[in-house]
Amino acid sequence: MGVPDIKYGDSVCYIQHVDTCLWLTYQTVDAKCARIGVVQRKAIMHHEGHMDDGLTLSRSQHEESRTARVIRSTVFLFNLFISGLDSLRKKGRSSVLDLPIDSVSLSLQDLIGYFQPPGDHLEHEEKQNRLRALKNQQNLFQEE
């Protein structure tokens, strides 16, 4: 068959862990949950792979990659904060909410830089392009 070649957007890839031989797949969704609304599928490692577990790889631009990293880290910290609040509510006021303060601080700095408007030193056209990109970033972040 020749040398394997992965072409972005054209190749379907299946992921198998080298040491355990487990396949990346999705956990099945409960039928009751599916009727309620949109359900996110959870990725798991399983001993059986399925034909519909294929991934199509694509290359992202620098800004899209940065956006994904900011969103992922913010969502992680937000979920950690919400679960901490839930545990405080269940256990009472004597519990302590343990958040990684360094990560929260770095994430806030990333968000400030991410949503910073373009400087006044730019030419009008470049400034308009950056404002348009900033609006798109804000919309994407809001969607997530």
Side-chain angles (χ1 to χ4, degrees):
M1 289 186 56
V3 177
D5 186 26
I6 295 178
K7 296 180 181 176
Y8 293 106
D10 288 341
S11 302
V12 177
C13 302
Y14 300 90
I15 299 177
Q16 184 180 31
H17 191 270
V18 174
D19 294 334
T20 63
C21 294
L22 296 175
W23 293 91
L24 178 66
T25 187
Y26 291 96
Q27 191 173 22
T28 57
V29 178
D30 184 19
K32 290 180 184 177
C33 293
R35 283 183 271 159
I36 293 173
V38 178
V39 178
Q40 281 189 326
R41 299 186 303 174
K42 183 177 178 182
I44 60 169
M45 300 303 288
H46 198 266
H47 65 277
E48 293 179 359
H50 302 284
M51 290 299 293
D52 58 347
D53 290 337
L55 302 173
T56 303
L57 303 179
S58 63
R59 200 178 273 201
S60 67
Q61 299 297 324
H62 172 72
E63 199 57 43
E64 292 168 337
S65 175
R66 180 177 174 223
T67 300
R69 282 193 310 272
V70 168
I71 289 172
R72 190 171 40 247
S73 68
T74 304
V75 166
F76 171 74
L77 289 171
F78 185 72
N79 287 336
L80 193 62
F81 179 71
I82 295 297
S83 65
L85 288 178
D86 286 343
S87 69
L88 281 176
R89 187 175 47 87
K90 290 176 184 172
K91 294 179 182 176
R93 295 181 188 256
S94 62
S95 299
V96 176
L97 182 60
D98 186 29
L99 285 176
I101 298 302
D102 291 340
S103 296
V104 172
S105 177
L106 290 173
S107 184
L108 287 173
Q109 288 174 6
D110 287 345
L111 287 170
I112 290 168
Y114 180 74
F115 289 119
Q116 184 146 14
D120 293 332
H121 65 281
L122 298 172
E123 292 183 20
H124 179 72
E125 187 175 338
E126 179 66 23
K127 187 173 182 178
Q128 292 301 314
N129 287 338
R130 291 196 183 181
L131 283 171
R132 197 172 11 262
L134 179 61
K135 180 129 178 89
N136 289 339
Q137 290 171 346
Q138 290 170 344
N139 290 339
L140 181 61
F141 195 83
Q142 183 66 35
E143 287 174 17
E144 292 298 321

